[in-house]
């Protein structure tokens, strides 16, 4: 008997749209390579900060829908918005900060998965999305430093 693929329960659109979230950062990298980095660095920082904030909203809603009463998941869910905002105020290091936070973000999903039920394949997709966006954000940071 074969085991179901871990992403089987995720609709194809979730995987496709989730992974396409790396495209804006790739466009910023291409723009930086072609024209230099100031505008693309700012655009990439804004995009990465928005996505980081979006992740916090996902964590908040996952905890709320699962009925968690412990305040810690909600505190953690607010942090990405604050980090993203702070990064926008720190142009020299903001891309580095947000890139590292994106790379680490699946650790929150992993922690949540110990307390709530997540869809099959979600953790694997989160690692893929976070790795792609986190690494491209760090590449953009290096190119625009």
């Amino acid at each position: 008997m074969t085991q179901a693929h871990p992403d089987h329960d995720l609709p194809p659109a979730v995987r496709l749209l989730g992974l396409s979230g790396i495209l804006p950062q790739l466009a910023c990298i291409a723009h930086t390579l072609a024209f230099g980095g100031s505008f693309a660095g700012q655009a990439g920082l804004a995009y990465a900060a928005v996505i980081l904030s979006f992740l916090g909203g996902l964590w908040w809603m996952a905890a709320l829908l699962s009925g968690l009463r412990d305040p810690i998941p909600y505190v953690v869910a607010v942090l990405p918005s604050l980090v993203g905002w702070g990064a926008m105020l720190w142009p020299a290091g903001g891309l580095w900060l947000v890139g590292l936070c994106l790379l680490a973000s699946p650790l929150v999903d992993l922690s949540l998965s110990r307390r709530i039920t997540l869809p099959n394949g979600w953790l694997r997709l989160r690692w893929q999305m976070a790795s792609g966006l986190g690494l491209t954000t760090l590449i953009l940071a290096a190119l625009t430093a």
Side-chain angles (χ1 to χ4, degrees), residues 6 10 14 58 109 118-127 129:
L10 293 177
V14 170
L58 287 176
D109 295 83
L118 296 173
N120 287 337
W122 178 248
L123 288 177
R124 181 172 181 211
L125 180 59
R126 278 288 296 120
W127 282 107
M129 292 186 299

Side-chain angles (χ1 to χ4, degrees), residues 16-102:
L16 179 64
L17 293 170
L19 293 172
S20 71
I22 300 165
L23 294 175
Q25 233 45 343
L26 290 174
C28 288
I29 289 170
H31 186 278
T32 298
L33 292 172
F35 305 108
S38 180
F39 170 76
Q42 292 171 5
L45 175 56
Y47 178 71
V50 165
I51 295 301
L52 191 63
S53 185
F54 175 77
L55 292 173
L58 287 176
W59 298 332
W60 179 287
M61 187 55 68
L64 187 64
L65 289 174
S66 296
L68 294 182
R69 306 301 279 173
D70 178 6
I72 298 300
Y74 302 101
V75 170
V76 170
V78 170
L79 293 177
S81 297
L82 297 175
V83 169
W85 174 72
M88 296 290 294
L89 301 175
W90 185 34
L95 274 168
W96 293 104
L97 175 63
V98 175
L100 292 172
C101 287
L102 287 165

